[in-house]
Amino acid sequence: MGDHMAKAISLAKNAMGTTSPNPAVGAVLVKDGVEIGAGFTLPPGQRHAEIGALDQAGEASQGSTLYTTLEPCCTYGRTPPCTKAIIDAGITMVHVAVIDPNLDVAGKGCQILREAGIEVLVDDGPEEAQEIYEGFAKHITTGIPFVAVKFAMSLDGKIATRTRDSKWVTGPEARQYVQQMRRQSDAILVGINTVLADDPLLTVRDERGQPLPHQPLRVITDSRCRTPANAQVLKQPGSTLIATAAEAPPQNVAQLEKEGAEVVFLPAGTDGRVDMSSLLEELGRRGIVNLMVEGGGIVLGSLFDAGLVDKVYAFIAPVIIGGQEAASPVEGQGIELMTKAWGIDRSSLQSIGPDWLIVGYPAPRS
């Protein structure tokens, strides 16, 4: 991967979490080996990455080469197609890292550029670029978010002590990594037990602990609206969505709405808890593309039981907690036979401070 495409990928990653339901794209214009323009996707309705790079380069765009992380769009939406702007600017070559998974584009953008006499090279996009669009690919084809679950556990598989103390299982480096994950997500999901036990902020914060201007949607599954009126999630910048069921007491609903939360009623499963499939459909309709699930074990268990998890981030700390009643990261009904356990495909392992992070994609073992 060349330096120019690496720069485009960096721009795209920095835009993640702010562009949905549009994909985050990075673009770099180069002429005679010198970068003359760069851009990234702005929030919906605003300019695309390629337009940002063209605007920066101005008339120097004539005869230049474009590096873009995603195939340029060729359809009219809130903004005109980028293919037309590229052709009009006199660009002579385009490097594309990933073909657009949107079937309305999917190769058509490249075809239009070639028909206009522009040389188009579809690079075998590096895995780093492919990962940027895994959420967009799922949402554009299914209408529901890409579900990434994150948990931090001890070597003996505990996420908290028997007294429910969980601060902190992992070190500051891992917690800073989670902040980056949150920043690139459209929504963060937790269950009511996490809210009651930890009273989390669920915000994206900078190195000084200050909340950033743009915050992902905070989502709480709370079938009886037990979220306290003074919960910290209700006092933070950004929005909080309470997913509840018909049995929620009206006075609880009214109190949470008074505190600024949005309460949405969804079907409940046989266990009385909010049905996760219905919740994902609701979030998908709201334009949530990348959903980060932070636990706890009941929420993660219900998602695994329903086969709704797309990606796993498992932080492992070199500590032993012990205790028969100490919480585990994944509960739910679980499986009966080891042959039915979830495997983790395309897994990777990296050290983050004193901790380890395993990342992979769940897949049936049999």
Side-chain angles (χ1 to χ4, degrees), residues 217-352:
L217 175 68
R218 298 181 291 272
V219 183
I220 303 170
T221 57
D222 183 3
S223 60
R224 297 190 61 80
C225 279
R226 292 186 292 145
T227 299
N230 62 349
Q232 294 203 76
V233 291
L234 304 178
K235 313 300 181 183
Q236 306 306 311
S239 302
T240 301
L241 178 71
I242 308 290
T244 194
E247 297 301 317
Q251 64 272 22
N252 293 16
V253 174
Q255 182 61 50
L256 289 174
E257 291 178 334
K258 180 181 178 182
E259 296 298 327
E262 180 184 359
V263 179
V264 59
F265 287 85
L266 295 171
T270 55
D271 58 2
R273 298 189 177 96
V274 172
D275 178 71
M276 285 297 177
S277 293
S278 298
L279 175 56
L280 293 184
E281 291 172 1
E282 174 66 23
L283 294 177
R285 284 192 291 270
R286 292 168 177 258
I288 300 299
V289 173
N290 291 294
L291 174 65
M292 179 178 173
V293 183
E294 295 202 28
I298 293 175
V299 171
L300 266 62
S302 63
L303 288 167
F304 273 106
D305 286 345
L308 296 173
V309 177
D310 296 303
K311 195 170 188 177
V312 173
Y313 291 83
F315 293 87
I316 304 174
V319 298
I320 302 293
I321 294 175
Q324 291 184 353
E325 298 178 2
S328 298
V330 181
E331 298 179 13
Q333 184 177 0
I335 51 96
E336 296 180 356
L337 301 172
M338 283 302 298
T339 55
K340 300 298 182 182
W342 290 98
I344 300 296
D345 285 354
R346 292 176 284 157
S347 61
S348 63
L349 174 68
Q350 62 179 301
S351 61
I352 301 180

Side-chain angles (χ1 to χ4, degrees), residues 168-176 317 352 354-355:
W168 298 96
V169 176
T170 52
E173 296 90 348
R175 297 198 294 274
Q176 189 58 42
I352 301 180
D355 308 307

Side-chain angles (χ1 to χ4, degrees), residues 26-365:
V28 174
L29 273 174
V30 177
K31 191 171 186 179
D32 299 326
V34 177
E35 179 185 312
I36 60 173
F40 54 86
T41 310
L42 295 180
Q46 301 181 55
R47 74 182 188 203
H48 289 192
E50 298 92 333
I51 306 304
L54 289 170
D55 288 347
Q56 191 175 108
E59 294 182 359
S61 300
Q62 184 77 32
S64 65
T65 297
L66 172 68
Y67 293 81
T68 179
T69 56
L70 188 68
E71 177 182 13
C73 66
C74 58
T75 58
Y76 281 88
R78 296 183 183 181
T79 58
C82 291
T83 48
K84 183 178 186 304
I86 292 169
I87 294 168
D88 292 344
I91 291 172
T92 57
M93 180 180 292
V94 176
H95 289 260
V96 175
V98 179
I99 293 295
D100 196 325
N102 182 355
L103 296 180
D104 289 336
V105 182
K108 299 182 181 70
C110 291
Q111 179 182 347
I112 289 171
L113 295 178
R114 289 187 177 114
E115 290 174 351
I118 298 173
E119 184 178 359
V120 179
L121 299 177
V122 179
D123 305 324
D124 187 10
E127 185 175 347
E128 191 175 9
Q130 299 286 349
E131 287 183 6
I132 294 173
Y133 302 111
E134 58 191 9
F136 176 68
K138 182 183 179 185
H139 185 265
I140 199 68
T141 54
T142 68
I144 63 176
F146 184 87
V147 179
V149 303
K150 162 261 168 185
F151 57 85
M153 69 179 187
S154 61
L155 281 177
D156 56 334
K158 308 297 185 181
I159 61 173
T161 69
R162 58 183 174 82
T163 62
R164 308 297 295 183
D165 180 43
S166 61
K167 295 183 179 179
W168 298 96
V169 176
T170 52
E173 296 90 348
R175 297 198 294 274
Q176 189 58 42
Y177 188 99
V178 171
Q179 286 295 314
Q180 178 68 14
M181 291 173 60
R182 286 181 177 180
R183 194 183 69 79
Q184 295 179 344
S185 302
D186 301 310
I188 303 169
L189 170 67
V190 299
I192 179 58
N193 289 335
T194 295
V195 174
L196 296 176
D198 299 340
D199 195 18
L201 299 174
L202 300 182
T203 53
V204 182
R205 302 180 292 278
D206 61 21
E207 294 80 2
R208 299 170 298 154
Q210 298 301 309
L212 298 181
H214 180 81
Q215 293 290 330
L217 175 68
R218 298 181 291 272
V219 183
I220 303 170
T221 57
D222 183 3
S223 60
R224 297 190 61 80
C225 279
R226 292 186 292 145
T227 299
N230 62 349
Q232 294 203 76
V233 291
L234 304 178
K235 313 300 181 183
Q236 306 306 311
S239 302
T240 301
L241 178 71
I242 308 290
T244 194
E247 297 301 317
Q251 64 272 22
N252 293 16
V253 174
Q255 182 61 50
L256 289 174
E257 291 178 334
K258 180 181 178 182
E259 296 298 327
E262 180 184 359
V263 179
V264 59
F265 287 85
L266 295 171
T270 55
D271 58 2
R273 298 189 177 96
V274 172
D275 178 71
M276 285 297 177
S277 293
S278 298
L279 175 56
L280 293 184
E281 291 172 1
E282 174 66 23
L283 294 177
R285 284 192 291 270
R286 292 168 177 258
I288 300 299
V289 173
N290 291 294
L291 174 65
M292 179 178 173
V293 183
E294 295 202 28
I298 293 175
V299 171
L300 266 62
S302 63
L303 288 167
F304 273 106
D305 286 345
L308 296 173
V309 177
D310 296 303
K311 195 170 188 177
V312 173
Y313 291 83
F315 293 87
I316 304 174
V319 298
I320 302 293
I321 294 175
Q324 291 184 353
E325 298 178 2
S328 298
V330 181
E331 298 179 13
Q333 184 177 0
I335 51 96
E336 296 180 356
L337 301 172
M338 283 302 298
T339 55
K340 300 298 182 182
W342 290 98
I344 300 296
D345 285 354
R346 292 176 284 157
S347 61
S348 63
L349 174 68
Q350 62 179 301
S351 61
I352 301 180
D355 308 307
W356 293 92
L357 171 62
I358 297 175
V359 181
Y361 301 82
R365 292 173 65 184

